[in-house]
Amino acid sequence: MNFFQTGYKGKNDWWMYIVTLILVFIGTQVGSIPLAIAAYNQVDGDMQRFSETANDAWLNIGMDSNLYLFLMILSFVAGLLMLYLAVRAIHRKKWKWIVTSRDNIDWKRVFFGVTVWGAISIIFIGLDIFLSPESYEWNFKPIPFFTLVLVSVLFIPLQTSLEEHLFRGYYMQAIGMWVKNRWFPLIVTSVVFGLLHGANPEIDKIGYIAFVFYIGTGFFFGIVTLLDEGTELAIGMHAINNIIAALFVTTDWTVFRTDALYVDTSDPSVGWEMFLPVFVLYPLVLIIFSKKYGWKNWQEKLFGKVEKPINQDVIEELGS
């Protein structure tokens, strides 16, 4: 049974997917309340100052960056919890059914994704620092940094898990079951995933060209999911990508403004680092994964039909 056929398990009435989207949205909004309260208290209840800084990540008002990161992630945690409850209570599905087509979630795949993408990311960050040392300032502060490590390792995977389970799992399966093919859900979820990053400050600083990276990354994670018949590799790569982004290099114009090891002092610009992952590194990683896991029939897995399995066990529901 492949990844899309696994999606047929449980209940899949169309209205359930709309209700789930609404619940996840409500969850993220409720989860953002602690951040809003902390920011409001930071400006001593000054509503004008609060409204003026709310669109700038609330860091310019002097909020501790680690506290901000933790509170920001809470909105994703609340959204993930709502998705979990909807999958279990509304769809009557087991959580693993939106994660993988395998009998159980393959954690070795998750950690292999972490290892491969983590190593590549660190190598290229180090290379850029070596080639352009004038653009970086050493920023190591023991207590803030190790606090950042703790917050990042424990909580950033929850943020990325919401995005992966929602886009590459839940809605990838749903759209595939509706349209009966693989390529359309890949396009839709990848484009929507990229466009939802339009609120990131990078868009304002660099321009819409940044969507090349965000949408390209969505396609990469989606392609990996389809070829591997599960989201484990994408989950691992997405988590380590954001952890490294938080720990190694920060700027005053990106979504992750942290007490990282280095501060990038260069002016925002469109450089090779915007296109290298999409057009060079992502294809390289696909080759590595293909060799590791023996991926075959790429055309069928990316462009083939989605067929409902005829086995009776597809009607299995949680607890049956």
Side-chain angles (χ1 to χ4, degrees), residues 1-6 101 172 175-177 179-189 219 222-230 297-307:
M1 186 175 296
N2 63 42
F3 186 58
F4 285 103
Q5 290 177 324
T6 303
S101 62
M172 178 83 84
I175 297 171
M177 288 187 291
V179 301
K180 306 301 182 184
N181 66 54
R182 288 170 168 257
W183 60 267
F184 188 75
L186 171 62
I187 292 174
V188 171
T189 56
F219 271 103
I223 289 170
V224 168
T225 296
L226 294 186
L227 292 176
D228 199 49
E229 301 290 0
N297 302 321
W298 286 38
Q299 181 174 350
E300 176 63 25
K301 288 188 174 184
L302 296 178
F303 302 102
K305 296 180 179 179
V306 171
E307 298 179 349

Side-chain angles (χ1 to χ4, degrees), residues 186-316:
L186 171 62
I187 292 174
V188 171
T189 56
S190 301
V191 172
V192 172
F193 170 81
L195 293 178
L196 285 178
H197 288 77
N200 286 10
E202 293 91 331
I203 302 298
D204 288 334
K205 296 294 184 180
I206 297 177
Y208 294 120
I209 190 67
F211 282 122
V212 171
F213 173 76
Y214 290 122
I215 295 177
T217 298
F219 271 103
F220 172 58
F221 289 151
I223 289 170
V224 168
T225 296
L226 294 186
L227 292 176
D228 199 49
E229 301 290 0
T231 65
E232 293 99 328
L233 290 170
I235 288 171
M237 286 186 293
H238 198 165
I240 195 61
N241 180 79
N242 286 22
I243 290 173
I244 288 175
L247 294 180
F248 281 84
V249 178
T250 188
T251 74
D252 62 359
W253 51 270
T254 58
V255 68
F256 282 139
R257 284 181 262 183
T258 64
D259 287 301
L261 291 176
Y262 287 92
V263 176
D264 183 352
T265 59
S266 62
D267 294 329
S269 63
V270 178
W272 61 269
E273 67 277 2
M274 178 66 63
F275 304 101
L276 180 71
V278 176
F279 298 107
V280 178
L281 299 184
Y282 291 165
L284 173 63
V285 172
L286 285 177
I287 293 173
I288 294 173
F289 288 160
S290 177
K291 297 295 184 182
K292 169 73 173 177
Y293 296 110
W295 291 345
K296 300 183 184 300
N297 302 321
W298 286 38
Q299 181 174 350
E300 176 63 25
K301 288 188 174 184
L302 296 178
F303 302 102
K305 296 180 179 179
V306 171
E307 298 179 349
K308 184 176 181 178
I310 59 176
N311 296 335
Q312 284 299 109
D313 64 355
V314 301
I315 64 173
E316 179 185 359

Side-chain angles (χ1 to χ4, degrees), residues 31-40 50 57-58 63 67-68 71-72 74:
S32 67
I33 292 175
L35 176 58
I37 293 174
Y40 183 75
F50 174 79
W58 288 320
M63 184 183 295
L67 175 62
Y68 168 74
L71 293 177
M72 180 186 71
L74 283 184

